[in-house]
Amino acid sequence: EVQLVESGGGLVQPGGSLRLSCAASGFTFDDYAMSWVRQAPGKGLEWVSGISWNGASTDYAESMKGRFTISRDNAKNTLYLQMNSLKPEDTAVYYCAKSTSRWFNGMDYWGKGTLVTVSS
């Protein structure tokens, strides 16, 4: 059974940083790309970032470029999202998602999410 468990969310002041983690199990982690998606209060899902199966290729939504960094540790079956210079509009539930292939072009499993609140 595929399981994705996010952690690391919380309350942070504007301009602050957080690092999210996603522990994966139930599949061969290094055979699949992974992504982060988020859902702000009252809004739809928004793709945040993706990383290829080996970490060699990454991509970000325009508003996250230069502030967020996605990474993975295949030895630990863990996905990360380092978020810097956080803004109130980054407030959302953040989900990690498993891709359907080695490239981030489709997702088939999501975790339950971790809440990030950016507020003073």
PDB file of all heavy atoms in Angstrom, residues 39-79:
ATOM      1  N   GLN A  39      -2.957  23.569  -1.327  1.00  0.00           N
ATOM      2  CA  GLN A  39      -4.307  24.084  -1.436  1.00  0.00           C
ATOM      3  C   GLN A  39      -4.510  25.149  -0.380  1.00  0.00           C
ATOM      4  O   GLN A  39      -4.512  24.864   0.823  1.00  0.00           O
ATOM      5  CB  GLN A  39      -5.351  22.976  -1.270  1.00  0.00           C
ATOM      6  CG  GLN A  39      -6.775  23.441  -1.514  1.00  0.00           C
ATOM      7  CD  GLN A  39      -7.746  22.298  -1.633  1.00  0.00           C
ATOM      8  OE1 GLN A  39      -7.548  21.223  -1.049  1.00  0.00           O
ATOM      9  NE2 GLN A  39      -8.817  22.501  -2.406  1.00  0.00           N
ATOM     10  N   ALA A  40      -4.652  26.380  -0.834  1.00  0.00           N
ATOM     11  CA  ALA A  40      -4.909  27.486   0.069  1.00  0.00           C
ATOM     12  C   ALA A  40      -6.372  27.467   0.502  1.00  0.00           C
ATOM     13  O   ALA A  40      -7.222  26.897  -0.192  1.00  0.00           O
ATOM     14  CB  ALA A  40      -4.578  28.802  -0.627  1.00  0.00           C
ATOM     15  N   PRO A  41      -6.672  28.096   1.624  1.00  0.00           N
ATOM     16  CA  PRO A  41      -8.059  28.104   2.101  1.00  0.00           C
ATOM     17  C   PRO A  41      -9.022  28.638   1.051  1.00  0.00           C
ATOM     18  O   PRO A  41      -8.816  29.724   0.497  1.00  0.00           O
ATOM     19  CB  PRO A  41      -7.992  29.045   3.314  1.00  0.00           C
ATOM     20  CG  PRO A  41      -6.592  28.961   3.788  1.00  0.00           C
ATOM     21  CD  PRO A  41      -5.767  28.789   2.548  1.00  0.00           C
ATOM     22  N   GLY A  42     -10.031  27.867   0.737  1.00  0.00           N
ATOM     23  CA  GLY A  42     -11.055  28.289  -0.203  1.00  0.00           C
ATOM     24  C   GLY A  42     -10.646  28.255  -1.666  1.00  0.00           C
ATOM     25  O   GLY A  42     -11.393  28.749  -2.529  1.00  0.00           O
ATOM     26  N   LYS A  43      -9.468  27.683  -1.955  1.00  0.00           N
ATOM     27  CA  LYS A  43      -8.990  27.651  -3.344  1.00  0.00           C
ATOM     28  C   LYS A  43      -8.724  26.222  -3.795  1.00  0.00           C
ATOM     29  O   LYS A  43      -8.758  25.288  -3.002  1.00  0.00           O
ATOM     30  CB  LYS A  43      -7.721  28.494  -3.468  1.00  0.00           C
ATOM     31  CG  LYS A  43      -7.950  29.972  -3.163  1.00  0.00           C
ATOM     32  CD  LYS A  43      -6.736  30.806  -3.504  1.00  0.00           C
ATOM     33  CE  LYS A  43      -7.001  32.288  -3.272  1.00  0.00           C
ATOM     34  NZ  LYS A  43      -5.813  33.123  -3.614  1.00  0.00           N
ATOM     35  N   GLY A  44      -8.431  26.062  -5.071  1.00  0.00           N
ATOM     36  CA  GLY A  44      -8.160  24.759  -5.621  1.00  0.00           C
ATOM     37  C   GLY A  44      -6.721  24.330  -5.429  1.00  0.00           C
ATOM     38  O   GLY A  44      -5.901  25.053  -4.863  1.00  0.00           O
ATOM     39  N   LEU A  45      -6.420  23.128  -5.895  1.00  0.00           N
ATOM     40  CA  LEU A  45      -5.067  22.608  -5.790  1.00  0.00           C
ATOM     41  C   LEU A  45      -4.135  23.366  -6.723  1.00  0.00           C
ATOM     42  O   LEU A  45      -4.502  23.714  -7.855  1.00  0.00           O
ATOM     43  CB  LEU A  45      -5.041  21.129  -6.152  1.00  0.00           C
ATOM     44  CG  LEU A  45      -5.588  20.152  -5.109  1.00  0.00           C
ATOM     45  CD1 LEU A  45      -5.659  18.748  -5.686  1.00  0.00           C
ATOM     46  CD2 LEU A  45      -4.721  20.164  -3.864  1.00  0.00           C
ATOM     47  N   GLU A  46      -2.927  23.616  -6.250  1.00  0.00           N
ATOM     48  CA  GLU A  46      -1.908  24.315  -7.025  1.00  0.00           C
ATOM     49  C   GLU A  46      -0.623  23.505  -6.993  1.00  0.00           C
ATOM     50  O   GLU A  46      -0.111  23.192  -5.917  1.00  0.00           O
ATOM     51  CB  GLU A  46      -1.661  25.710  -6.441  1.00  0.00           C
ATOM     52  CG  GLU A  46      -0.568  26.491  -7.141  1.00  0.00           C
ATOM     53  CD  GLU A  46      -0.262  27.819  -6.475  1.00  0.00           C
ATOM     54  OE1 GLU A  46      -0.566  27.972  -5.273  1.00  0.00           O
ATOM     55  OE2 GLU A  46       0.280  28.715  -7.147  1.00  0.00           O
ATOM     56  N   TRP A  47      -0.104  23.170  -8.146  1.00  0.00           N
ATOM     57  CA  TRP A  47       1.175  22.481  -8.213  1.00  0.00           C
ATOM     58  C   TRP A  47       2.287  23.436  -7.774  1.00  0.00           C
ATOM     59  O   TRP A  47       2.338  24.578  -8.216  1.00  0.00           O
ATOM     60  CB  TRP A  47       1.422  21.973  -9.623  1.00  0.00           C
ATOM     61  CG  TRP A  47       2.725  21.264  -9.805  1.00  0.00           C
ATOM     62  CD1 TRP A  47       3.030  19.973  -9.471  1.00  0.00           C
ATOM     63  CD2 TRP A  47       3.915  21.802 -10.379  1.00  0.00           C
ATOM     64  NE1 TRP A  47       4.327  19.689  -9.798  1.00  0.00           N
ATOM     65  CE2 TRP A  47       4.899  20.794 -10.370  1.00  0.00           C
ATOM     66  CE3 TRP A  47       4.250  23.048 -10.913  1.00  0.00           C
ATOM     67  CZ2 TRP A  47       6.181  20.984 -10.861  1.00  0.00           C
ATOM     68  CZ3 TRP A  47       5.530  23.243 -11.406  1.00  0.00           C
ATOM     69  CH2 TRP A  47       6.475  22.222 -11.376  1.00  0.00           C
ATOM     70  N   VAL A  48       3.184  22.939  -6.910  1.00  0.00           N
ATOM     71  CA  VAL A  48       4.250  23.769  -6.353  1.00  0.00           C
ATOM     72  C   VAL A  48       5.595  23.466  -7.003  1.00  0.00           C
ATOM     73  O   VAL A  48       6.289  24.365  -7.477  1.00  0.00           O
ATOM     74  CB  VAL A  48       4.352  23.551  -4.831  1.00  0.00           C
ATOM     75  CG1 VAL A  48       5.570  24.253  -4.249  1.00  0.00           C
ATOM     76  CG2 VAL A  48       3.072  24.019  -4.145  1.00  0.00           C
ATOM     77  N   SER A  49       5.947  22.174  -7.033  1.00  0.00           N
ATOM     78  CA  SER A  49       7.277  21.804  -7.493  1.00  0.00           C
ATOM     79  C   SER A  49       7.318  20.315  -7.779  1.00  0.00           C
ATOM     80  O   SER A  49       6.524  19.544  -7.234  1.00  0.00           O
ATOM     81  CB  SER A  49       8.301  22.147  -6.407  1.00  0.00           C
ATOM     82  OG  SER A  49       9.603  21.806  -6.805  1.00  0.00           O
ATOM     83  N   GLY A  50       8.246  19.909  -8.645  1.00  0.00           N
ATOM     84  CA  GLY A  50       8.429  18.505  -8.949  1.00  0.00           C
ATOM     85  C   GLY A  50       9.897  18.167  -9.065  1.00  0.00           C
ATOM     86  O   GLY A  50      10.736  19.033  -9.335  1.00  0.00           O
ATOM     87  N   ILE A  51      10.200  16.893  -8.855  1.00  0.00           N
ATOM     88  CA  ILE A  51      11.571  16.417  -8.933  1.00  0.00           C
ATOM     89  C   ILE A  51      11.572  15.049  -9.575  1.00  0.00           C
ATOM     90  O   ILE A  51      10.718  14.201  -9.280  1.00  0.00           O
ATOM     91  CB  ILE A  51      12.215  16.391  -7.530  1.00  0.00           C
ATOM     92  CG1 ILE A  51      13.696  16.048  -7.590  1.00  0.00           C
ATOM     93  CG2 ILE A  51      11.466  15.447  -6.577  1.00  0.00           C
ATOM     94  CD1 ILE A  51      14.448  16.324  -6.282  1.00  0.00           C
ATOM     95  N   SER A  52      12.530  14.828 -10.465  1.00  0.00           N
ATOM     96  CA  SER A  52      12.604  13.558 -11.168  1.00  0.00           C
ATOM     97  C   SER A  52      13.060  12.439 -10.243  1.00  0.00           C
ATOM     98  O   SER A  52      13.493  12.677  -9.113  1.00  0.00           O
ATOM     99  CB  SER A  52      13.546  13.685 -12.358  1.00  0.00           C
ATOM    100  OG  SER A  52      14.854  13.995 -11.915  1.00  0.00           O
ATOM    101  N   TRP A  53      13.010  11.225 -10.735  1.00  0.00           N
ATOM    102  CA  TRP A  53      13.296  10.057  -9.921  1.00  0.00           C
ATOM    103  C   TRP A  53      14.663  10.090  -9.269  1.00  0.00           C
ATOM    104  O   TRP A  53      14.843   9.623  -8.141  1.00  0.00           O
ATOM    105  CB  TRP A  53      13.168   8.794 -10.784  1.00  0.00           C
ATOM    106  CG  TRP A  53      14.175   8.758 -11.905  1.00  0.00           C
ATOM    107  CD1 TRP A  53      14.133   9.454 -13.085  1.00  0.00           C
ATOM    108  CD2 TRP A  53      15.393   8.019 -11.935  1.00  0.00           C
ATOM    109  NE1 TRP A  53      15.233   9.192 -13.838  1.00  0.00           N
ATOM    110  CE2 TRP A  53      16.023   8.307 -13.182  1.00  0.00           C
ATOM    111  CE3 TRP A  53      16.014   7.130 -11.060  1.00  0.00           C
ATOM    112  CZ2 TRP A  53      17.238   7.739 -13.535  1.00  0.00           C
ATOM    113  CZ3 TRP A  53      17.218   6.563 -11.411  1.00  0.00           C
ATOM    114  CH2 TRP A  53      17.820   6.868 -12.646  1.00  0.00           C
ATOM    115  N   ASN A  54      15.650  10.677  -9.932  1.00  0.00           N
ATOM    116  CA  ASN A  54      17.019  10.695  -9.407  1.00  0.00           C
ATOM    117  C   ASN A  54      17.431  12.056  -8.872  1.00  0.00           C
ATOM    118  O   ASN A  54      18.586  12.258  -8.508  1.00  0.00           O
ATOM    119  CB  ASN A  54      17.997  10.243 -10.477  1.00  0.00           C
ATOM    120  CG  ASN A  54      17.975  11.144 -11.706  1.00  0.00           C
ATOM    121  OD1 ASN A  54      17.175  12.083 -11.798  1.00  0.00           O
ATOM    122  ND2 ASN A  54      18.847  10.855 -12.653  1.00  0.00           N
ATOM    123  N   GLY A  55      16.498  12.992  -8.868  1.00  0.00           N
ATOM    124  CA  GLY A  55      16.802  14.327  -8.361  1.00  0.00           C
ATOM    125  C   GLY A  55      17.524  15.229  -9.330  1.00  0.00           C
ATOM    126  O   GLY A  55      17.809  16.384  -9.008  1.00  0.00           O
ATOM    127  N   ALA A  56      17.816  14.741 -10.524  1.00  0.00           N
ATOM    128  CA  ALA A  56      18.602  15.531 -11.468  1.00  0.00           C
ATOM    129  C   ALA A  56      17.801  16.658 -12.110  1.00  0.00           C
ATOM    130  O   ALA A  56      18.367  17.641 -12.596  1.00  0.00           O
ATOM    131  CB  ALA A  56      19.172  14.625 -12.548  1.00  0.00           C
ATOM    132  N   SER A  57      16.499  16.510 -12.133  1.00  0.00           N
ATOM    133  CA  SER A  57      15.645  17.509 -12.766  1.00  0.00           C
ATOM    134  C   SER A  57      14.583  17.997 -11.791  1.00  0.00           C
ATOM    135  O   SER A  57      13.920  17.193 -11.131  1.00  0.00           O
ATOM    136  CB  SER A  57      14.972  16.915 -14.005  1.00  0.00           C
ATOM    137  OG  SER A  57      14.163  17.867 -14.645  1.00  0.00           O
ATOM    138  N   THR A  58      14.469  19.315 -11.694  1.00  0.00           N
ATOM    139  CA  THR A  58      13.458  19.919 -10.825  1.00  0.00           C
ATOM    140  C   THR A  58      12.744  21.036 -11.572  1.00  0.00           C
ATOM    141  O   THR A  58      13.262  21.577 -12.547  1.00  0.00           O
ATOM    142  CB  THR A  58      14.078  20.494  -9.536  1.00  0.00           C
ATOM    143  OG1 THR A  58      15.021  21.519  -9.884  1.00  0.00           O
ATOM    144  CG2 THR A  58      14.791  19.425  -8.724  1.00  0.00           C
ATOM    145  N   ASP A  59      11.577  21.377 -11.095  1.00  0.00           N
ATOM    146  CA  ASP A  59      10.838  22.491 -11.664  1.00  0.00           C
ATOM    147  C   ASP A  59       9.948  23.080 -10.579  1.00  0.00           C
ATOM    148  O   ASP A  59       9.592  22.404  -9.611  1.00  0.00           O
ATOM    149  CB  ASP A  59      10.004  22.045 -12.867  1.00  0.00           C
ATOM    150  CG  ASP A  59       9.597  23.209 -13.750  1.00  0.00           C
ATOM    151  OD1 ASP A  59      10.105  24.334 -13.537  1.00  0.00           O
ATOM    152  OD2 ASP A  59       8.752  23.009 -14.642  1.00  0.00           O
ATOM    153  N   TYR A  60       9.594  24.353 -10.775  1.00  0.00           N
ATOM    154  CA  TYR A  60       8.823  25.073  -9.782  1.00  0.00           C
ATOM    155  C   TYR A  60       7.753  25.924 -10.457  1.00  0.00           C
ATOM    156  O   TYR A  60       7.944  26.425 -11.573  1.00  0.00           O
ATOM    157  CB  TYR A  60       9.741  26.005  -8.974  1.00  0.00           C
ATOM    158  CG  TYR A  60      10.856  25.287  -8.256  1.00  0.00           C
ATOM    159  CD1 TYR A  60      12.072  25.038  -8.878  1.00  0.00           C
ATOM    160  CD2 TYR A  60      10.679  24.847  -6.941  1.00  0.00           C
ATOM    161  CE1 TYR A  60      13.083  24.364  -8.225  1.00  0.00           C
ATOM    162  CE2 TYR A  60      11.689  24.172  -6.280  1.00  0.00           C
ATOM    163  CZ  TYR A  60      12.886  23.927  -6.931  1.00  0.00           C
ATOM    164  OH  TYR A  60      13.884  23.258  -6.278  1.00  0.00           O
ATOM    165  N   ALA A  61       6.667  26.124  -9.743  1.00  0.00           N
ATOM    166  CA  ALA A  61       5.707  27.124 -10.178  1.00  0.00           C
ATOM    167  C   ALA A  61       6.383  28.490 -10.101  1.00  0.00           C
ATOM    168  O   ALA A  61       7.271  28.712  -9.270  1.00  0.00           O
ATOM    169  CB  ALA A  61       4.469  27.086  -9.284  1.00  0.00           C
ATOM    170  N   GLU A  62       5.972  29.371 -10.966  1.00  0.00           N
ATOM    171  CA  GLU A  62       6.655  30.662 -11.118  1.00  0.00           C
ATOM    172  C   GLU A  62       6.782  31.410  -9.804  1.00  0.00           C
ATOM    173  O   GLU A  62       7.847  31.963  -9.494  1.00  0.00           O
ATOM    174  CB  GLU A  62       5.927  31.515 -12.141  1.00  0.00           C
ATOM    175  CG  GLU A  62       6.732  32.708 -12.627  1.00  0.00           C
ATOM    176  CD  GLU A  62       8.007  32.303 -13.345  1.00  0.00           C
ATOM    177  OE1 GLU A  62       8.022  31.268 -14.040  1.00  0.00           O
ATOM    178  OE2 GLU A  62       9.014  33.018 -13.170  1.00  0.00           O
ATOM    179  N   SER A  63       5.745  31.429  -8.995  1.00  0.00           N
ATOM    180  CA  SER A  63       5.761  32.221  -7.771  1.00  0.00           C
ATOM    181  C   SER A  63       6.653  31.628  -6.678  1.00  0.00           C
ATOM    182  O   SER A  63       6.928  32.285  -5.680  1.00  0.00           O
ATOM    183  CB  SER A  63       4.339  32.391  -7.230  1.00  0.00           C
ATOM    184  OG  SER A  63       3.781  31.133  -6.893  1.00  0.00           O
ATOM    185  N   MET A  64       7.117  30.397  -6.859  1.00  0.00           N
ATOM    186  CA  MET A  64       7.977  29.747  -5.880  1.00  0.00           C
ATOM    187  C   MET A  64       9.456  29.761  -6.281  1.00  0.00           C
ATOM    188  O   MET A  64      10.315  29.478  -5.448  1.00  0.00           O
ATOM    189  CB  MET A  64       7.562  28.284  -5.674  1.00  0.00           C
ATOM    190  CG  MET A  64       6.259  28.094  -4.932  1.00  0.00           C
ATOM    191  SD  MET A  64       4.852  28.525  -5.987  1.00  0.00           S
ATOM    192  CE  MET A  64       3.497  27.771  -5.154  1.00  0.00           C
ATOM    193  N   LYS A  65       9.727  30.079  -7.512  1.00  0.00           N
ATOM    194  CA  LYS A  65      11.112  30.056  -7.984  1.00  0.00           C
ATOM    195  C   LYS A  65      11.971  31.017  -7.180  1.00  0.00           C
ATOM    196  O   LYS A  65      11.591  32.166  -6.954  1.00  0.00           O
ATOM    197  CB  LYS A  65      11.184  30.402  -9.469  1.00  0.00           C
ATOM    198  CG  LYS A  65      10.663  29.294 -10.367  1.00  0.00           C
ATOM    199  CD  LYS A  65      10.777  29.658 -11.841  1.00  0.00           C
ATOM    200  CE  LYS A  65      10.264  28.508 -12.702  1.00  0.00           C
ATOM    201  NZ  LYS A  65      10.310  28.840 -14.147  1.00  0.00           N
ATOM    202  N   GLY A  66      13.132  30.531  -6.748  1.00  0.00           N
ATOM    203  CA  GLY A  66      14.041  31.347  -5.968  1.00  0.00           C
ATOM    204  C   GLY A  66      13.756  31.347  -4.482  1.00  0.00           C
ATOM    205  O   GLY A  66      14.579  31.816  -3.692  1.00  0.00           O
ATOM    206  N   ARG A  67      12.594  30.839  -4.083  1.00  0.00           N
ATOM    207  CA  ARG A  67      12.241  30.798  -2.660  1.00  0.00           C
ATOM    208  C   ARG A  67      12.153  29.366  -2.133  1.00  0.00           C
ATOM    209  O   ARG A  67      12.490  29.115  -0.975  1.00  0.00           O
ATOM    210  CB  ARG A  67      10.890  31.487  -2.425  1.00  0.00           C
ATOM    211  CG  ARG A  67      10.870  32.958  -2.803  1.00  0.00           C
ATOM    212  CD  ARG A  67       9.600  33.637  -2.296  1.00  0.00           C
ATOM    213  NE  ARG A  67       8.379  33.033  -2.837  1.00  0.00           N
ATOM    214  CZ  ARG A  67       7.401  32.553  -2.078  1.00  0.00           C
ATOM    215  NH1 ARG A  67       7.486  32.607  -0.754  1.00  0.00           N
ATOM    216  NH2 ARG A  67       6.320  32.022  -2.641  1.00  0.00           N
ATOM    217  N   PHE A  68      11.676  28.454  -2.947  1.00  0.00           N
ATOM    218  CA  PHE A  68      11.483  27.062  -2.543  1.00  0.00           C
ATOM    219  C   PHE A  68      12.526  26.175  -3.215  1.00  0.00           C
ATOM    220  O   PHE A  68      12.912  26.418  -4.362  1.00  0.00           O
ATOM    221  CB  PHE A  68      10.095  26.575  -2.942  1.00  0.00           C
ATOM    222  CG  PHE A  68       8.941  27.190  -2.178  1.00  0.00           C
ATOM    223  CD1 PHE A  68       9.120  28.264  -1.320  1.00  0.00           C
ATOM    224  CD2 PHE A  68       7.660  26.681  -2.333  1.00  0.00           C
ATOM    225  CE1 PHE A  68       8.061  28.824  -0.620  1.00  0.00           C
ATOM    226  CE2 PHE A  68       6.583  27.226  -1.643  1.00  0.00           C
ATOM    227  CZ  PHE A  68       6.787  28.295  -0.798  1.00  0.00           C
ATOM    228  N   THR A  69      12.935  25.127  -2.508  1.00  0.00           N
ATOM    229  CA  THR A  69      13.857  24.140  -3.070  1.00  0.00           C
ATOM    230  C   THR A  69      13.345  22.741  -2.763  1.00  0.00           C
ATOM    231  O   THR A  69      13.153  22.393  -1.586  1.00  0.00           O
ATOM    232  CB  THR A  69      15.264  24.303  -2.499  1.00  0.00           C
ATOM    233  OG1 THR A  69      15.740  25.624  -2.751  1.00  0.00           O
ATOM    234  CG2 THR A  69      16.218  23.301  -3.138  1.00  0.00           C
ATOM    235  N   ILE A  70      13.142  21.964  -3.808  1.00  0.00           N
ATOM    236  CA  ILE A  70      12.708  20.578  -3.640  1.00  0.00           C
ATOM    237  C   ILE A  70      13.933  19.679  -3.703  1.00  0.00           C
ATOM    238  O   ILE A  70      14.883  19.940  -4.449  1.00  0.00           O
ATOM    239  CB  ILE A  70      11.675  20.187  -4.717  1.00  0.00           C
ATOM    240  CG1 ILE A  70      11.023  18.845  -4.401  1.00  0.00           C
ATOM    241  CG2 ILE A  70      12.300  20.197  -6.102  1.00  0.00           C
ATOM    242  CD1 ILE A  70       9.845  18.508  -5.314  1.00  0.00           C
ATOM    243  N   SER A  71      13.923  18.625  -2.905  1.00  0.00           N
ATOM    244  CA  SER A  71      15.015  17.662  -2.924  1.00  0.00           C
ATOM    245  C   SER A  71      14.482  16.313  -2.462  1.00  0.00           C
ATOM    246  O   SER A  71      13.355  16.210  -1.967  1.00  0.00           O
ATOM    247  CB  SER A  71      16.171  18.125  -2.033  1.00  0.00           C
ATOM    248  OG  SER A  71      15.760  18.246  -0.684  1.00  0.00           O
ATOM    249  N   ARG A  72      15.310  15.301  -2.633  1.00  0.00           N
ATOM    250  CA  ARG A  72      14.914  13.974  -2.199  1.00  0.00           C
ATOM    251  C   ARG A  72      16.128  13.190  -1.739  1.00  0.00           C
ATOM    252  O   ARG A  72      17.238  13.429  -2.231  1.00  0.00           O
ATOM    253  CB  ARG A  72      14.189  13.221  -3.326  1.00  0.00           C
ATOM    254  CG  ARG A  72      15.024  12.938  -4.547  1.00  0.00           C
ATOM    255  CD  ARG A  72      14.153  12.446  -5.708  1.00  0.00           C
ATOM    256  NE  ARG A  72      13.526  11.156  -5.391  1.00  0.00           N
ATOM    257  CZ  ARG A  72      12.480  10.665  -6.045  1.00  0.00           C
ATOM    258  NH1 ARG A  72      11.927  11.357  -7.035  1.00  0.00           N
ATOM    259  NH2 ARG A  72      11.987   9.483  -5.719  1.00  0.00           N
ATOM    260  N   ASP A  73      15.896  12.266  -0.824  1.00  0.00           N
ATOM    261  CA  ASP A  73      16.922  11.348  -0.357  1.00  0.00           C
ATOM    262  C   ASP A  73      16.388   9.947  -0.633  1.00  0.00           C
ATOM    263  O   ASP A  73      15.563   9.426   0.131  1.00  0.00           O
ATOM    264  CB  ASP A  73      17.192  11.565   1.125  1.00  0.00           C
ATOM    265  CG  ASP A  73      18.355  10.721   1.640  1.00  0.00           C
ATOM    266  OD1 ASP A  73      18.657   9.685   1.024  1.00  0.00           O
ATOM    267  OD2 ASP A  73      18.944  11.104   2.661  1.00  0.00           O
ATOM    268  N   ASN A  74      16.841   9.362  -1.706  1.00  0.00           N
ATOM    269  CA  ASN A  74      16.314   8.051  -2.092  1.00  0.00           C
ATOM    270  C   ASN A  74      16.714   6.957  -1.112  1.00  0.00           C
ATOM    271  O   ASN A  74      16.015   5.950  -0.980  1.00  0.00           O
ATOM    272  CB  ASN A  74      16.750   7.698  -3.510  1.00  0.00           C
ATOM    273  CG  ASN A  74      15.979   8.489  -4.563  1.00  0.00           C
ATOM    274  OD1 ASN A  74      14.953   9.113  -4.262  1.00  0.00           O
ATOM    275  ND2 ASN A  74      16.477   8.482  -5.789  1.00  0.00           N
ATOM    276  N   ALA A  75      17.814   7.142  -0.418  1.00  0.00           N
ATOM    277  CA  ALA A  75      18.230   6.146   0.576  1.00  0.00           C
ATOM    278  C   ALA A  75      17.278   6.134   1.772  1.00  0.00           C
ATOM    279  O   ALA A  75      17.128   5.115   2.445  1.00  0.00           O
ATOM    280  CB  ALA A  75      19.642   6.432   1.042  1.00  0.00           C
ATOM    281  N   LYS A  76      16.632   7.273   2.020  1.00  0.00           N
ATOM    282  CA  LYS A  76      15.710   7.399   3.147  1.00  0.00           C
ATOM    283  C   LYS A  76      14.248   7.408   2.706  1.00  0.00           C
ATOM    284  O   LYS A  76      13.356   7.580   3.544  1.00  0.00           O
ATOM    285  CB  LYS A  76      16.007   8.673   3.933  1.00  0.00           C
ATOM    286  CG  LYS A  76      17.365   8.686   4.604  1.00  0.00           C
ATOM    287  CD  LYS A  76      17.568   9.966   5.415  1.00  0.00           C
ATOM    288  CE  LYS A  76      18.912   9.954   6.128  1.00  0.00           C
ATOM    289  NZ  LYS A  76      19.133  11.195   6.920  1.00  0.00           N
ATOM    290  N   ASN A  77      14.012   7.260   1.409  1.00  0.00           N
ATOM    291  CA  ASN A  77      12.635   7.303   0.885  1.00  0.00           C
ATOM    292  C   ASN A  77      11.895   8.549   1.345  1.00  0.00           C
ATOM    293  O   ASN A  77      10.734   8.496   1.770  1.00  0.00           O
ATOM    294  CB  ASN A  77      11.843   6.062   1.312  1.00  0.00           C
ATOM    295  CG  ASN A  77      12.276   4.807   0.586  1.00  0.00           C
ATOM    296  OD1 ASN A  77      13.169   4.842  -0.267  1.00  0.00           O
ATOM    297  ND2 ASN A  77      11.673   3.694   0.927  1.00  0.00           N
ATOM    298  N   THR A  78      12.570   9.673   1.256  1.00  0.00           N
ATOM    299  CA  THR A  78      12.009  10.920   1.782  1.00  0.00           C
ATOM    300  C   THR A  78      12.141  12.058   0.779  1.00  0.00           C
ATOM    301  O   THR A  78      13.180  12.218   0.141  1.00  0.00           O
ATOM    302  CB  THR A  78      12.679  11.311   3.105  1.00  0.00           C
ATOM    303  OG1 THR A  78      12.532  10.237   4.038  1.00  0.00           O
ATOM    304  CG2 THR A  78      12.056  12.565   3.694  1.00  0.00           C
ATOM    305  N   LEU A  79      11.080  12.821   0.676  1.00  0.00           N
ATOM    306  CA  LEU A  79      11.009  14.021  -0.163  1.00  0.00           C
ATOM    307  C   LEU A  79      10.997  15.237   0.745  1.00  0.00           C
ATOM    308  O   LEU A  79      10.423  15.207   1.828  1.00  0.00           O
ATOM    309  CB  LEU A  79       9.724  13.970  -0.995  1.00  0.00           C
ATOM    310  CG  LEU A  79       9.399  15.169  -1.879  1.00  0.00           C
ATOM    311  CD1 LEU A  79      10.348  15.211  -3.079  1.00  0.00           C
ATOM    312  CD2 LEU A  79       7.950  15.096  -2.338  1.00  0.00           C
TER     313      LEU A  79
END
